[in-house]
Amino acid sequence: GQNIDQPTEMTATEGAIVQINCTYQTSGFNGLFWYQQHAGEAPTFLSYNVLDGLEEKGRFSSFLSRSKGYSYLLLKELQMKDSASYLCAVGANNAGNMLTFGGGTRLMVKP
Amino acid sequence: GAGVSQSPSNKVTEKGKDVELRCDPISGHTALYWYRQSLGQGLEFLIYFQGNSAPDKSGLPSDRFSAERTGGSVSTLTIQRTQQEDSAVYLCASSLAFSTNEKLFFGSGTQLSVL
């Protein structure tokens, strides 16, 4: 099976930087996704990492270390609209090519 | 359609009744997934379809749950004899192909409340 851990809640200040961590244990790793989900809405795709390193996309960056089973999502210049849940999801070849989601991190951005 | 469409958006039912949830994926997407999300929780995988076929039904919580997909498009998730613990948001997603490097496009979900 797969085990995915991420903090339940985080609070940060508008304009600041926040890092949301995700650790996982799996065999047959085949990629890691981050999704954003605003309250009452559908999750939307943010980033995908399959190789080690940092992927930057505007204010959002995602990092992966396969040897450590670790990823983080970095949000810069936080805005109030970034208040949402951030879901880490891991794919594995031996899990029928399915994505397994973590419990999500609820981020609250305060003025 | 432009996105994944789910209906109804909200469903309130009495314990013991059957409910049917519908998902209309993005046109051309061959893979379709059903997830369940309880309040404040992550996504629990239920079942996926490759075309009309569902190779693995082990994620369904009980035999009261069933799903089908016809014509490689619309899917329905049926819950028979609903129980209060079935209350959750049921999310449908589709992707172009069935692969772990394909991003999922989610619908807005059906909020199911079993009284």
Side-chain angles (χ1 to χ4, degrees):
Chain A
Q2 298 178 77
N3 196 25
I4 302 173
D5 289 313
Q6 48 181 136
T8 306
E9 285 189 357
M10 297 183 71
T11 302
T13 305
E14 190 176 16
I17 298 173
V18 70
Q19 178 175 311
I20 303 174
N21 296 325
C22 172
T23 58
Y24 63 89
Q25 293 176 312
T26 190
S27 54
F29 174 82
N30 193 24
L32 185 145
F33 288 84
W34 284 95
Y35 284 83
Q36 180 191 57
Q37 185 178 26
H38 285 100
E41 298 183 11
T44 55
F45 169 81
L46 283 179
S47 68
Y48 171 69
N49 295 70
V50 66
L51 299 177
D52 290 351
L54 188 68
E55 295 279 343
E56 297 186 79
K57 192 184 296 184
R59 294 190 299 115
F60 292 7
S61 303
S62 57
F63 171 83
L64 175 67
S65 169
R66 288 172 296 172
S67 62
K68 296 181 179 178
Y70 168 66
S71 172
Y72 67 72
L73 181 69
L74 193 70
L75 291 75
K76 301 177 186 177
E77 302 168 16
L78 279 173
Q79 302 176 9
M80 298 300 290
K81 68 178 182 179
D82 297 330
S83 294
S85 287
Y86 292 86
L87 309 175
C88 173
V90 173
N93 289 330
N94 66 353
N97 279 333
M98 282 309 307
L99 279 184
T100 300
F101 282 81
T105 299
R106 191 168 69 177
L107 174 66
M108 289 174 281
V109 179
K110 298 186 174 180
Chain B
V4 178
S5 177
Q6 291 189 246
S7 61
S9 55
N10 278 284
K11 176 71 177 178
V12 180
T13 189
E14 293 178 349
K15 178 182 172 182
K17 300 280 189 182
D18 298 351
V19 296
E20 189 173 276
L21 313 180
R22 176 188 167 105
C23 173
D24 198 345
I26 293 174
S27 178
H29 280 195
T30 60
L32 184 148
Y33 312 80
W34 284 98
Y35 286 87
R36 179 168 72 172
Q37 187 174 34
S38 300
L39 188 63
Q41 302 296 311
L43 274 63
E44 175 191 2
F45 166 71
L46 299 179
I47 193 169
Y48 77 91
F49 288 88
Q50 272 183 283
N52 292 335
S53 173
D56 181 4
K57 300 181 181 179
S58 63
L60 295 174
S62 76
D63 59 7
R64 296 185 294 104
F65 287 70
S66 63
E68 64 176 17
R69 187 182 187 193
T70 55
S73 182
V74 172
S75 175
T76 54
L77 177 69
T78 301
I79 309 173
Q80 294 177 309
R81 304 181 303 280
T82 52
Q83 303 294 312
Q84 288 182 333
E85 62 261 27
D86 299 334
S87 296
V89 176
Y90 288 81
L91 289 166
C92 175
S94 69
S95 62
L96 198 57
F98 180 65
S99 171
T100 46
N101 62 0
E102 287 283 345
K103 66 180 180 183
L104 304 183
F105 294 83
F106 284 87
S108 296
T110 294
Q111 171 75 64
L112 176 65
S113 301
V114 182
L115 304 179

